[in-house]
Amino acid sequence: GVIGSGPAGLAFATTAATIGHSVTVYDKASEIGGQFNMAKRIPGKEEFHETIRYFNWQLQKLESQGKIDIKLGTEMSISDMEGDPSTDKWIIATGVNPRTPSIPGVEHPNVLSYIDVLRN
């Protein structure tokens, strides 16, 4: 099983499925892409759309061949993983958590994180 449908999780999942493994991808988000969905909003970074489109195409192809299963909107816990007898290995590809830099004034109300800027 693969937890996370960002670029790393999808690269692993599609490669593993292509060489013969049965793969299930889980993500708590409702769409694949992970942080690429945020990055594609930046002017000049339109290539992230293409990467997501490519992985969507790969997933559809592999899913139609019965090699991969996608479970979006599904959050997995350790107990969920331990209780799944059909999966013998797990890949955790859940991406990054942004960190706040140690810069004087970073806590000021007019200072925004990149996530705040891109989401709003």
Side-chain angles (χ1 to χ4, degrees), residues 7-68:
L10 293 175
F12 177 85
T14 55
T15 301
T18 299
I19 64 171
H21 295 279
S22 177
V23 179
T24 301
V25 177
Y26 302 86
D27 200 307
K28 66 180 178 180
S30 61
E31 62 183 341
I32 68 161
Q35 292 284 318
F36 272 30
N37 288 308
M38 196 170 315
K40 70 185 182 185
R41 298 178 185 183
I42 300 169
K45 299 292 182 180
E46 291 79 15
E47 70 272 11
F48 291 111
H49 284 281
E50 179 57 25
T51 302
I52 294 170
R53 188 207 60 76
Y54 167 78
F55 276 122
N56 267 316
W57 177 80
Q58 284 286 356
L59 293 172
Q60 288 172 3
K61 181 179 79 169
L62 292 166
E63 196 170 28
S64 72
Q65 296 170 355
K67 296 180 177 181
I68 201 163

Side-chain angles (χ1 to χ4, degrees), residues 82-93:
E82 291 172 339
D84 182 352
S86 66
T87 303
D88 59 346
K89 302 283 188 240
W90 289 96
I91 302 299
I92 311 298

